[in-house]
Amino acid sequence: MIAGAFVDDLVLLTRGEILAVASRTLERAQEFGAQHGIERCHGSYEELAADPEIDIVYVASPHSRHARDTIMFLEAGKHVLCEKPFALNAHEAAAMVSTAELHDRFLMEAMWSRFLPANTRLRELLDGNELGEPLALEASFGFRAPFDPHHRLFDPALGGGALLDLGIYPLQLDRLVFGAPDEIIATAHLGETAVDEQVAVLLRHPGGGIATVSASLRANLPCDARVSFSDGSVTIPSMMHWPQSISITRGNSTEHVDASFEGIGLRFQAEEVHRCLDAGLRDSSTMPLADTCALAQTMDAVRAQIGVTYDADLHGHSRSQEDSVE
Amino acid sequence: MIAGAFVDDLVLLTRGEILAVASRTLERAQEFGAQHGIERCHGSYEELAADPEIDIVYVASPHSRHARDTIMFLEAGKHVLCEKPFALNAHEAAAMVSTAELHDRFLMEAMWSRFLPANTRLRELLDGNELGEPLALEASFGFRAPFDPHHRLFDPALGGGALLDLGIYPLQLDRLVFGAPDEIIATAHLGETAVDEQVAVLLRHPGGGIATVSASLRANLPCDARVSFSDGSVTIPSMMHWPQSISITRGNSTEHVDASFEGIGLRFQAEEVHRCLDAGLRDSSTMPLADTCALAQTMDAVRAQIGVTYDADLHGHSRSQEDSVE
């Protein structure tokens, strides 16, 4: 779904070309290609990796394949933009990053929300210290999904659960606003497939700023984000992963900033990839790999507390790499 | 401050009479009496307890005196409405409740918010199961208070900290919506007087409902409350301890219910006291002592985790009683 949306949004870019699509079967690749106007269709990711005309691969396989697929493409000399969540755990994320370094390739987590105009304005506010010290963040992302034990959202084999799929959006916002936490505590409701159908996390930061973050697959949460600063506040309205505006309050005065955009907003991250490659960079300063790895560590810490374990946590990295060679 | 506001709001009641005021000095009692039109002024709480014409005492001394003062009035045969937080800890609360039982007197925590029209509507929604199962609550109460180590908000000897003074409002809402929690976890920022200047709490409930609760003496928090149900949602707007409206969403339709009232809203709890006494009740079903004691236990659990300790925690109840005899 997100791959189709991304490809459709790329028509708004004036550069880059979608040369090929790959899927686990030729039929699925051809179906996607027909829907989105892509002629070259590969029936396996290995074929795509071997395609000499490809510079950058966008990885949108299930979470549970991100590490093996990304590593294979990097080893084949491709730059990679990998869907969020980047990996199932911090071990996988570290392996992906070190593979990119070894092969001198660009690598970024496709944290598209961070590149939207509302979040660009938020980053300016933070960088310019315009509202003083951030003190509190309240952010949630959750919707009532029909329960289906075989859907990836509920399947632990595919990295299911609210945390990795939805919680990552408010968690990356916490990282953007506060940086590293010095305490992470969490609670959750696990469903019958043993993934977190609802999760809440408190992150305390040096200086005392506290974030309350919630995600759910069973409740329609407010899905907004409110940041309290010492000298004002910021509201990112629902849906917080896809805001069309941002409200900035200083004293009694609130400024409502239009932050709408053409398309659905997935192209901004592709512009960042082009910008980085033009400049010879291998890491984005807006969504740095250090943040990606830190987010994976935070989610590992949360999962350890709430008792959600994936097979990849047990195998460690070496097994993932073996798998990827197939 | 709250005693003055309460007394002024009672002019809206058609029954009951404010017969006397007491303070720790006659001068302060006379000052309050002059301001609020009360003729009989007692220079000590003991004098008030001995006044045979008094039926009900409203206790609005500092938190740290609630237990001793309330117990003294109950032992003198008075009914008592005691300001929130009812006590510094669950030990004190239990002693107050057993004294009321022993002397067959009415006792209630002055949780005035619970009696406001918006919360009456919320209780109806909950009692009638109108929106299905409650799944999530996000509630905060906090404002940027000027730091003063001698102000009761920051003084541990007076039960200072954001939790007891402000956090109790979202915590009582959690109790109203979900009942007893099965897990409580918390983090906080302690200031230089070792009280919680900012605190956040997660409460998980049987069935998996999760509340995220925040309170602060240094950040202007959103100060609203949002409840997500299986079949809808409810928003209690800022200020959540004093709402003038309530919004109820079912599907795509939101109903904004006016819940404004004459005065400042403190009189509703006094009406409840009259109603209970008329019916010969010693406990309010809207703000039962069981909820009061449970809230005190929750706050004890939070303080144990965040490392905020009051002298009363070390003395236990017997010392408090001795103190009250003076």
Side-chain angles (χ1 to χ4, degrees):
Chain A
M1 192 179 76
I2 196 159
F6 183 46
V7 164
D8 291 344
D9 209 48
L10 289 181
V11 301
L12 293 168
L13 282 193
T14 55
R15 53 181 299 187
E17 192 183 345
I18 303 173
L19 271 185
V21 61
S23 191
R24 277 161 285 177
T25 66
L26 184 59
E27 192 179 43
R28 285 165 60 94
Q30 284 171 337
E31 190 186 335
F32 188 94
Q35 277 169 6
H36 301 283
I38 306 169
E39 288 187 12
R40 197 184 304 175
C41 300
H42 294 298
S44 75
Y45 298 143
E46 289 72 16
E47 265 184 47
L48 182 67
D51 186 332
E53 289 191 288
I54 301 294
D55 299 312
I56 315 167
V57 176
Y58 163 64
V59 171
S61 52
H63 314 342
S64 50
R65 287 192 59 121
H66 284 182
R68 72 170 80 168
D69 293 337
T70 294
I71 287 169
M72 180 180 65
F73 291 123
L74 291 167
E75 288 176 340
K78 313 302 186 194
H79 305 294
V80 175
L81 175 67
C82 178
E83 252 315 317
K84 37 111 326 249
F86 193 65
L88 289 183
N89 58 38
H91 270 292
E92 286 190 352
M96 294 156 78
V97 170
S98 47
T99 306
E101 285 168 357
L102 186 66
H103 293 272
D104 191 28
R105 297 291 88 180
F106 176 84
L107 178 61
M108 188 176 92
E109 183 171 16
M111 194 62 79
W112 60 287
S113 294
R114 215 178 250 207
F115 301 95
L116 298 180
N119 282 319
T120 300
R121 182 73 190 95
L122 175 61
R123 288 206 315 278
E124 287 169 5
L125 288 166
L126 291 164
D127 293 345
N129 195 28
E130 291 183 42
L131 299 173
E133 184 188 1
L135 296 171
L137 164 67
E138 194 179 87
S140 65
F141 190 17
F143 56 85
R144 197 162 171 79
F147 178 71
D148 172 358
H150 305 297
H151 190 283
R152 67 172 184 84
L153 286 175
F154 296 94
D155 186 348
L158 299 177
L163 178 70
L164 263 67
D165 208 75
L166 304 177
I168 193 169
Y169 287 105
L171 285 176
Q172 71 84 22
L173 194 60
D174 167 75
R175 189 100 201 152
L176 190 66
V177 169
F178 288 112
D182 60 15
E183 187 181 26
I184 301 167
I185 55 179
T187 188
H189 169 71
L190 306 192
E192 60 185 76
T193 58
V195 303
D196 50 302
E197 295 186 4
Q198 188 161 329
V199 60
V201 186
L202 301 178
L203 302 105
R204 194 190 60 189
H205 299 271
I210 300 176
T212 66
V213 160
S214 303
S216 183
L217 300 176
R218 62 187 205 130
N220 293 314
L221 299 181
C223 295
D224 57 7
R226 286 102 62 94
V227 195
S228 303
F229 292 84
S230 53
D231 303 327
S233 65
V234 167
T235 296
I236 294 176
S238 172
M239 305 294 285
M240 59 81 67
H241 74 308
W242 195 45
Q244 312 292 314
S245 68
I246 178 171
S247 298
I248 304 161
T249 299
R250 292 175 177 87
N252 291 323
S253 142
T254 296
E255 177 194 1
H256 299 285
V257 181
D258 177 54
S260 58
F261 43 83
E262 208 184 339
I264 55 168
L266 287 162
R267 76 183 182 283
F268 295 105
Q269 63 185 358
E271 286 174 359
E272 173 72 357
V273 176
H274 284 301
R275 189 191 70 78
C276 289
L277 291 177
D278 288 348
L281 300 172
R282 297 294 179 245
D283 190 12
S284 160
S285 57
T286 303
M287 188 60 216
L289 292 165
D291 273 19
T292 287
C293 289
L295 276 170
Q297 286 164 8
T298 293
M299 293 192 292
D300 283 2
V302 171
R303 286 198 297 114
Q305 289 180 44
I306 65 177
V308 171
T309 306
Y310 301 128
D311 283 350
D313 301 331
L314 311 171
H315 297 164
H317 165 54
S318 56
R319 171 67 177 277
S320 299
Q321 267 193 320
E322 275 168 40
D323 284 357
S324 77
V325 178
E326 287 179 346
Chain B
M1 192 179 75
I2 197 159
F6 183 47
V7 164
D8 291 345
D9 209 48
L10 289 182
V11 299
L12 294 167
L13 282 194
T14 54
R15 52 183 298 188
E17 191 182 347
I18 302 172
L19 271 185
V21 59
S23 191
R24 277 162 286 177
T25 65
L26 183 60
E27 190 180 42
R28 284 166 61 94
Q30 284 170 337
E31 191 187 335
F32 188 95
Q35 275 169 8
H36 300 282
I38 306 170
E39 288 187 12
R40 197 184 304 175
C41 300
H42 294 297
S44 75
Y45 298 143
E46 289 72 15
E47 266 183 47
L48 181 67
D51 186 332
E53 290 191 287
I54 301 293
D55 298 312
I56 314 166
V57 176
Y58 163 64
V59 171
S61 52
H63 314 342
S64 49
R65 287 192 58 122
H66 284 181
R68 73 170 80 169
D69 293 338
T70 293
I71 287 170
M72 179 178 66
F73 292 124
L74 291 167
E75 288 176 341
K78 313 302 186 195
H79 304 295
V80 174
L81 175 66
C82 178
E83 253 314 318
K84 38 114 320 254
F86 193 67
L88 290 183
N89 57 40
H91 270 290
E92 285 190 352
M96 294 156 78
V97 169
S98 46
T99 306
E101 285 167 358
L102 186 66
H103 294 271
D104 191 28
R105 297 292 87 180
F106 176 83
L107 177 61
M108 187 176 91
E109 182 172 16
M111 194 62 79
W112 60 286
S113 294
R114 213 176 251 207
F115 301 95
L116 298 180
N119 282 319
T120 300
R121 183 72 189 97
L122 175 61
R123 287 204 317 276
E124 286 170 6
L125 288 166
L126 291 163
D127 293 346
N129 196 27
E130 291 185 43
L131 298 173
E133 184 189 1
L135 296 170
L137 164 67
E138 193 179 88
S140 65
F141 191 16
F143 56 85
R144 196 162 172 78
F147 178 72
D148 172 358
H150 305 298
H151 190 284
R152 69 172 182 82
L153 286 175
F154 295 94
D155 186 348
L158 299 177
L163 178 70
L164 263 67
D165 208 76
L166 305 177
I168 194 169
Y169 286 106
L171 285 176
Q172 71 83 21
L173 194 60
D174 166 76
R175 189 101 200 150
L176 190 66
V177 169
F178 288 111
D182 61 14
E183 187 181 29
I184 301 167
I185 56 179
T187 188
H189 170 71
L190 306 192
E192 60 186 77
T193 58
V195 304
D196 51 301
E197 295 186 5
Q198 189 161 328
V199 60
V201 186
L202 301 178
L203 302 104
R204 195 190 60 190
H205 299 270
I210 300 176
T212 65
V213 160
S214 304
S216 184
L217 298 176
R218 61 185 206 132
N220 293 314
L221 298 181
C223 295
D224 57 8
R226 286 101 63 93
V227 194
S228 304
F229 292 84
S230 54
D231 303 327
S233 64
V234 167
T235 296
I236 294 177
S238 173
M239 306 294 287
M240 59 80 68
H241 73 309
W242 195 44
Q244 311 293 313
S245 68
I246 178 171
S247 298
I248 303 162
T249 299
R250 292 175 177 87
N252 292 321
S253 140
T254 297
E255 177 195 2
H256 299 284
V257 181
D258 177 53
S260 58
F261 43 83
E262 207 184 342
I264 55 169
L266 287 162
R267 76 181 182 283
F268 296 104
Q269 63 185 357
E271 286 174 358
E272 173 71 358
V273 176
H274 283 301
R275 188 190 70 78
C276 288
L277 290 177
D278 286 349
L281 300 172
R282 297 295 180 245
D283 191 11
S284 160
S285 57
T286 303
M287 187 62 217
L289 291 165
D291 274 18
T292 287
C293 290
L295 277 170
Q297 285 163 9
T298 293
M299 294 193 290
D300 282 2
V302 171
R303 287 197 298 113
Q305 289 179 45
I306 64 177
V308 171
T309 306
Y310 301 129
D311 283 351
D313 301 330
L314 311 171
H315 297 162
H317 166 55
S318 57
R319 171 69 175 276
S320 299
Q321 267 193 318
E322 277 170 38
D323 285 355
S324 77
V325 178
E326 291 181 343

